[in-house]
Amino acid sequence: MNENSTGVKQKVTGTSPEDRRTLLKNGYSPIPLKGKGCYVKGWSKGDITSERLDEMESSHPDHTNTGLRTGRLCVVDIDIVDPEQAKRVADKVQSIL
């Protein structure tokens, strides 16, 4: 959730250019994706800035999804179909981290 200028919390889905700017302001390195891939040359190198996102978005308008560059960001991807088992694994991960 993100708090807008009026203090109202709003969900950040990461799929719009505005959401990418919010992610960037919160310390993440968002990149535009086409499906699950990024086809922007050099996307993995250099700093991600608002200006760079502008360039990526204008040169690749078909990149409508958003990814986060890792490196400093650590993630746990839980790809478990069974909801009860997924919850148990997520709870365990949260207790460890």
Side-chain angles (χ1 to χ4, degrees):
M1 299 296 266
N2 184 44
E3 199 169 288
N4 68 18
S5 61
T6 61
V8 176
K9 295 212 182 240
Q10 57 191 131
K11 186 175 182 180
V12 176
T13 63
T15 57
S16 72
E18 295 79 20
D19 288 343
R20 290 188 194 121
R21 298 322 179 275
T22 298
L23 289 165
L24 185 63
K25 287 177 188 175
N26 285 315
Y28 296 100
S29 295
I31 54 170
L33 302 178
K34 181 178 181 181
K36 289 191 172 188
C38 185
Y39 303 95
V40 178
K41 186 175 182 176
W43 69 267
S44 64
K45 296 181 172 66
D47 291 333
I48 300 295
T49 63
S50 187
E51 293 79 16
R52 186 163 177 203
L53 282 173
D54 289 341
E55 293 171 13
M56 293 171 136
E57 291 161 354
S58 65
S59 65
H60 293 79
D62 59 343
H63 282 48
T64 57
N65 292 342
T66 298
L68 298 176
R69 285 196 327 194
T70 55
R72 295 180 309 183
L73 173 66
C74 296
V75 298
V76 177
D77 186 8
I78 302 171
D79 290 328
I80 299 174
V81 177
D82 179 90
E84 290 180 21
Q85 188 177 9
K87 182 172 180 351
R88 285 193 300 273
V89 171
D91 289 346
K92 184 65 173 178
V93 168
Q94 287 184 355
S95 74
I96 293 169
L97 299 178

